[in-house]
Amino acid sequence: MSGGELDDCLHACAVHSGKLVGSVDRRRIELAEQLRKLLVVVTTGSATTAAPAAPSGAAARLKRVVKGASTPASGIPNNVLDALLAVANKALECGYDDELDLALVISDTVLAQRRNSRAGWRLRARLMEALGDETEAVPAYERYLGLTDSDGFGVAAKIAGLRVAGEKDRELLALLRRQCPRAEEFARGPATDVWAEGLAAHAAGDWSGAEPRMVGALLALAAEGAPVADRQELLGQYLELRAARGDVDLPALTEVLALYAEQRRNRMRGPVADPTIGGVQWISLGEFRNQVAGKSVCLIANSGRVGSSSMGAEIDAYDLVVRFNSYRIDAGHTGGRTDIHATIHKHGFNWDQRVTTRLVFGGVSGDWKYSLRNRLVPGAQQFLGDESLRWPVRNIGRLGADVWSGIPTTGFNMLFLLDFLDVSPTLDLIGFDFYESGAYRVPEAMKMPITSVHEYTSEKEWVMQRAQRVTDMRISLR
């Protein structure tokens, strides 16, 4: 890491803000908004009290602030740290070179100022992975993992996947070297030039001249530590050309493709310990109805109010206890039992906690299935909701975006499902104040923002219209 001065980092943010003026790219528009929020934090100390400013004005004002600012002796302030991390994460989502450079500047600054920042090390690891530098990404992920008690983002699996992928990469290159011995003649030349020569030979119908040059270029790129994405692109082109030949040696090609597929798969998801997901029993809407029929059910909010409620014994007295996403257990306040864990498929919190039933919600079937394949922990659940329970508000209630414009929360999907089934004599919500008392989650999730894509006001109105009894801690729908 180089640099690391806060003033220089803020100046880079200001300059980049000006570059985004007039952009029509959704990701860059979102980045511009995070840069605006950074400006508000730097100028006022609050990200919510100032009126929105155009990117060009934001850039000019931030430059003025930076010019006269000095970094506090204690390091980067917490509110500035959070705002910078939000900018960097949006820049990383953009994926363009300019935005990755900005994320790199922010990463240098955060870790120079806060050497033990968990969020800083996770940002660093994701950035290095995006840049194709896995030799730097893996140690950064390990540093992050060493600073946290809860692996809610699945970093351990990511580390394992990158390591296995690296091993398969080396095996693949060794195999290509054995299959094409002449490649060594070209492995020491400039990789780009050698690759171009190989393509020209292929275009001229000379595969015997093309293949050793292509493989030689791949070996050269690996030797010089070229970004993984660049090497993968050329490797894919080579295999496509090789497979298209009429006289292809199928056993040799199959051996290469098996290693290629293995390293790609491990980069995407990490090794899967148990392809059967531990023999989990899938349940449908009707089978879930039978599970909850006649049972008293309580739904526990991840709210600050629950975290100080002293209601643990009362909560555990219900027949079924439902918890959400990144729930946190403090038995005296929250109760200690979890019968049903309802979670959005995008988050990886508490999937390793043993529960009777796990319901995973998600709007897009393909993404939902991918998350189940990658996040489920074998043996951590006895029952798992199937496709019929994937997205209750939309798929069961048939409430489309024209009726319910916001994306339904995990809590609302679960509550809607139980209300729709209408087979529980007691249906209580504990601590649901819709984040008025703040969040109470596992430590790794406490920094996660309360997203604006949900209609909290509409959900609260829906609940209160059906409430039979309301106290400070409990809303009873039955």
Side-chain angles (χ1 to χ4, degrees), residues 6-7 65-73 75 77:
L6 180 56
D7 289 357
V65 171
V66 171
K67 186 175 181 180
S70 59
T71 304

Side-chain angles (χ1 to χ4, degrees), residues 252-421:
L253 177 61
T254 299
E255 191 177 4
V256 172
L257 289 176
L259 285 172
Y260 174 74
E262 188 69 14
Q263 54 92 15
R264 288 296 297 265
R265 182 165 54 248
N266 277 281
R267 282 196 172 90
M268 290 177 63
R269 72 181 188 191
V272 178
D274 184 352
T276 66
I277 320 179
V280 68
Q281 182 175 337
W282 295 86
I283 57 172
S284 64
L285 174 61
E287 290 164 325
F288 179 73
R289 178 190 182 280
N290 294 338
Q291 279 193 358
V292 300
K295 305 286 182 65
S296 62
V297 181
C298 68
L299 294 80
I300 312 302
N302 298 340
S303 68
R305 186 169 295 182
V306 169
S308 59
S309 69
S310 300
M311 288 187 63
E314 291 183 59
I315 289 171
D316 284 338
Y318 285 81
D319 293 329
L320 295 174
V321 179
V322 183
R323 302 187 195 274
F324 303 101
N325 296 319
S326 53
Y327 69 85
R328 180 177 174 182
I329 294 293
D330 180 351
H333 298 295
T334 67
R337 200 176 83 246
T338 306
D339 301 295
I340 300 171
H341 177 214
T343 184
I344 192 69
H345 77 92
K346 294 182 178 180
H347 292 170
F349 301 103
N350 290 322
W351 291 57
D352 60 338
Q353 298 302 302
R354 294 182 65 87
V355 298
T356 302
T357 301
R358 182 161 278 113
L359 298 184
V360 182
F361 299 140
V364 180
S365 178
D367 294 345
W368 174 78
K369 291 174 182 176
Y370 181 86
S371 291
L372 290 182
R373 180 71 273 162
N374 290 289
R375 295 189 187 280
L376 278 173
V377 177
Q381 56 279 310
Q382 183 179 353
F383 301 100
L384 177 66
D386 69 5
E387 185 92 16
S388 67
L389 291 163
R390 173 174 58 81
W391 206 224
V393 172
R394 302 293 197 214
N395 296 347
I396 297 173
R398 303 298 180 186
L399 299 184
D402 56 332
V403 177
W404 197 275
S405 59
I407 297 175
T409 63
T410 302
F412 187 57
N413 267 301
M414 188 70 225
L415 178 57
F416 184 93
L417 173 61
L418 292 169
D419 183 74
F420 171 84
L421 292 173

Side-chain angles (χ1 to χ4, degrees), residues 447-458:
K447 288 283 188 179
M448 293 177 62
I450 298 173
T451 179
S452 60
V453 299
H454 301 304
E455 291 282 353
Y456 294 108
T457 300
S458 299

